[in-house]
Amino acid sequence: MTIYEIFVQMWVIDFEIGIFDKNYFQSLVKSGQLKVEDYKKVTGEAYVTPQDQPVHA
């Protein structure tokens, strides 16, 4: 198991108990610290890039 995989496991727990929210993990994806596919493992939702998010009028 790699250090990255250990971090993903810890982040899942952190999210489940409410230490960090989705915004935190989105910032990790943007900075390259969390892979897009692992965002779903952590939050249970697919990562949506900012340009893909709908604009509310």
Side-chain angles (χ1 to χ4, degrees):
M1 179 174 286
T2 67
I3 291 174
Y4 174 79
E5 292 168 329
I6 293 169
F7 267 95
V8 171
Q9 289 182 344
M10 290 186 329
W11 288 330
V12 168
I13 295 167
D14 291 346
F15 181 76
E16 288 175 351
I17 63 175
I19 294 175
F20 299 114
D21 63 8
K22 292 176 191 169
N23 291 330
Y24 175 77
F25 295 107
Q26 289 170 352
S27 70
L28 291 181
V29 172
K30 290 176 191 174
S31 68
Q33 297 178 64
L34 178 62
K35 298 175 186 175
V36 170
E37 59 270 20
D38 291 327
Y39 177 87
K40 184 168 185 169
K41 288 180 189 175
V42 173
T43 66
E45 296 180 6
Y47 179 77
V48 178
T49 57
Q51 65 267 22
D52 291 344
Q53 294 177 350
V55 177
H56 299 288

